[in-house]
Amino acid sequence: MLIRIDYQDSRPIYEQIASGFEKLILSGVIEAGEQMPSVRSLAVELSTNPNTVQKAYSQLERDGFIYTVKGKGNFVQKNIELVEKKKQEIIVKIRKILEEAEEIGLSRKELLKSLEE
């Protein structure tokens, strides 16, 4: 599996798991309709508590990344809007960073130049 837990990360483990799956789903590594690993098998694989994995899956379901089929498991939601929503979130973050940079006298040109290096 492509999910890794970083014990140095300040985020809770369930958030790291959810974030990892979000990236895999948004990048197309895990495709719409594909079945997610079972809670128990993923918990064993990540050496974590099944409740932690279930909490991550619940968050992914709330955020629209997966859906549950009773008795069958969890599946990746087909939702193109998720990618657009994530893009908009990134744009908002970048705008905020640009505003902060300008507040301290760092021009967009200087900022872009330093990013290209």
Side-chain angles (χ1 to χ4, degrees):
M1 181 52 52
L2 301 169
I3 303 292
R4 288 202 171 85
I5 296 172
D6 179 2
Y7 294 100
Q8 304 299 318
D9 193 327
S10 62
R11 296 178 300 158
I13 293 171
Y14 81 92
E15 281 185 15
Q16 292 182 47
I17 294 169
S19 175
F21 275 116
E22 283 180 21
K23 289 175 186 168
L24 292 172
I25 292 167
L26 289 171
S27 66
V29 173
I30 301 176
E31 297 178 355
E34 196 171 326
Q35 187 168 8
M36 299 286 286
S38 74
V39 170
R40 286 186 183 159
S41 68
L42 186 59
V44 168
E45 191 174 324
L46 297 176
S47 300
T48 191
N49 189 306
N51 292 332
T52 302
V53 174
Q54 183 57 52
K55 193 170 181 179
Y57 278 12
S58 293
Q59 180 176 327
L60 287 166
E61 190 167 11
R62 270 192 314 276
D63 293 344
F65 285 92
I66 65 173
Y67 63 95
T68 302
V69 176
K70 202 157 187 87
K72 299 265 187 205
N74 297 290
F75 296 84
V76 176
Q77 184 78 274
K78 183 178 182 180
N79 193 341
I80 298 167
E81 294 149 14
L82 286 174
V83 175
E84 287 306 313
K85 181 181 172 190
K86 194 67 174 177
K87 285 180 183 178
Q88 291 306 313
E89 288 174 9
I90 291 170
I91 289 169
V92 168
K93 288 177 186 177
I94 290 172
R95 285 187 177 142
K96 186 173 192 245
I97 290 170
L98 288 172
E99 288 173 12
E100 288 178 25
E102 288 174 355
E103 286 173 3
I104 63 165
L106 182 62
S107 72
R108 289 180 184 209
K109 189 176 180 179
E110 289 174 301
L111 186 58
L112 289 173
K113 184 179 176 189
S114 65
L115 289 173
E116 289 173 353
E117 293 173 352

